[in-house]
Amino acid sequence: MSCVARLPYLLLSVLLVFVLVLAAAGPVGAVDLPRVELSKAQAGAGGSVTVSGSGWRARALLTLLVCGQAEPDRGVTGGTNSCANADGRAVTTDAEGRFRRALPVVEPPVPCPCVVHVETVTGAGAEADAALQVAGHTVEPLPAERSGGRLSLLADTRLRGSGGLLTWFGSPPARTLEVTVGNVGTSPVKNPVFQVGTAHGVFAPQWQDQRWRGTIRPGGEARVELPVELAAGAHGDYTVSLKYGGKVLAEHPWGVGRPWGVTLFWVLVLLVVPAAVFRAGLAVVDHLRPRQPGHAARPARRTGLPVPLPHLPRKRAGTRTPSAAAALPWVTPDAGPEDEERSSASYGKDPTTRA
């Protein structure tokens, strides 16, 4: 099969590889937030629940605690003093940032609502909570949030991250927005909720609430990192905005390149599909075409080699080769000494005389 005939099959193989890669891989640069799940939402003191999590840093050491006066949205309002620290457990995540651990259920030192609080011990700080109802424990409403804290931008924003091969083929572009904010109020700001918006061209931004885990004390500052992700196949000029408390703190431009891999994919499809259909049609026509007897046997091609001579039998010892006179009576072979005597005797005898 020639190279031209193999081209459609090679292009089809390349397309199948790209489709499998795009189907099997997720978004490039997507940031997984730490998550915690419980095997059951309610348990009594003396029992146990299985805590599982994902999205954590690989090989990270975590602590698991039952805490009171807390909610997953607001966190542990009273700090670790609201947790049953003596009955906590430690666990190390695997290479994919997952873990699974049994945790005994105890009554925290303060009333519920209660949560299972998971927090990193070393390295970059991260925490997550899952609601847990401790049967038989007292329940009191949480104190009202104090609104004395105010955040202000202290440094320029920055988008960290880059695209990859999958982004070139239409995967959702993702970046991490980094800002430095300071608390200019009189009370600490704990687990603030920011609004991150993305706007394309002259359109209004689409806002999304994102909670940052941590506490910013009065006069303090913090480096805030928030994930930003666009839709699949997005390209062009975008603007990323950050809002807190109804006020826009920062805006940052984001130029997203066109996913030329998608265009290349459709170009290859337009080349491969017609070529494959054409080849299939030729195969069908060749299969259905009637065969003529004259064309069944083809003459052998001339190779330019000399025609082999017929095999001649070898002369064996003791055998006499028939003379040319037997085959050709008008040809007389050379006479030997014996033949000459016979010829002379017969010549001198008169054929009409009797012996």
Side-chain angles (χ1 to χ4, degrees):
M1 186 181 296
S2 63
C3 296
V4 177
R6 292 179 180 176
L7 182 60
Y9 301 99
L10 296 177
L11 295 178
L12 184 60
S13 302
V14 173
L15 290 178
L16 290 177
V17 171
F18 283 140
V19 170
L20 292 177
V21 170
L22 292 177
V28 175
V31 179
D32 293 334
L33 298 177
R35 294 185 298 273
V36 175
E37 296 180 358
L38 304 179
S39 59
K40 48 188 175 181
Q42 181 177 358
S48 65
V49 294
T50 301
V51 185
S52 57
S54 60
W56 297 84
R57 191 174 69 254
R59 309 300 181 186
L61 180 61
L62 310 177
T63 57
L64 287 66
L65 299 172
V66 177
C67 303
Q69 288 294 283
E71 288 182 349
D73 294 337
R74 294 183 55 180
V76 183
T77 58
T80 56
N81 293 331
S82 303
C83 304
N85 298 312
D87 298 295
R89 293 292 184 271
V91 65
T92 302
T93 60
D94 58 12
E96 298 180 355
R98 302 176 181 272
F99 72 89
R100 187 179 181 87
R101 185 75 159 83
L103 177 67
V105 178
V106 295
E107 295 184 356
V110 295
C112 283
C114 300
V115 299
V116 173
H117 181 72
V118 182
E119 186 175 0
T120 57
V121 178
T122 59
E127 58 183 11
D129 301 318
L132 174 66
Q133 296 181 7
V134 180
H137 194 59
T138 58
V139 179
E140 294 182 2
L142 295 177
E145 292 187 88
R146 293 176 293 179
S147 58
R150 292 185 297 111
L151 298 181
S152 177
L153 183 67
L154 299 182
D156 294 337
T157 61
R158 187 170 72 94
L159 283 177
R160 178 170 53 86
S162 60
L165 178 62
L166 295 182
T167 305
W168 198 65
F169 278 93
S171 182
R175 296 291 188 274
T176 300
L177 178 65
E178 296 182 355
V179 296
T180 302
V181 296
N183 187 358
V184 295
T186 58
S187 60
V189 178
K190 185 173 183 179
N191 300 331
V193 178
F194 296 93
Q195 288 182 309
V196 179
T198 55
H200 181 49
V202 297
F203 295 97
Q206 299 179 356
W207 301 98
Q208 182 181 7
D209 294 341
Q210 295 191 17
R211 179 180 295 276
W212 182 76
R213 298 286 182 175
T215 302
I216 307 176
R217 301 186 179 279
E221 63 180 43
R223 188 69 174 175
V224 178
E225 298 182 358
L226 301 173
V228 184
E229 184 175 344
L230 302 178
H235 61 277
D237 296 330
Y238 284 81
T239 301
V240 180
S241 304
L242 180 66
K243 182 191 293 187
Y244 178 77
K247 179 182 178 181
V248 178
L249 299 181
E251 292 183 347
H252 194 281
W254 183 10
V256 183
R258 181 180 295 273
W260 291 107
V262 179
T263 305
L264 177 61
F265 175 83
W266 287 112
V267 169
L268 293 178
V269 168
L270 295 178
L271 291 176
V272 169
V273 173
V277 172
F278 178 73
R279 293 287 300 175
L282 289 181
V284 172
V285 171
D286 184 69
H287 181 73
L288 299 179
R289 184 178 59 186
R291 303 294 180 180
Q292 298 180 5
H295 297 278
R298 297 181 179 178
R301 296 185 302 175
R302 297 182 179 179
T303 59
L305 298 177
V307 179
L309 297 175
H311 178 71
L312 299 177
R314 296 182 180 179
K315 182 179 178 180
R316 296 182 180 179
T319 60
R320 187 173 182 181
T321 305
S323 61
L328 302 176
W330 58 85
V331 177
T332 304
D334 296 337
E338 297 179 358
D339 295 336
E340 290 180 356
E341 295 178 357
R342 292 178 184 177
S343 180
S344 300
S346 61
Y347 181 76
K349 184 181 295 185
D350 186 0
T352 58
T353 62
R354 294 182 181 177

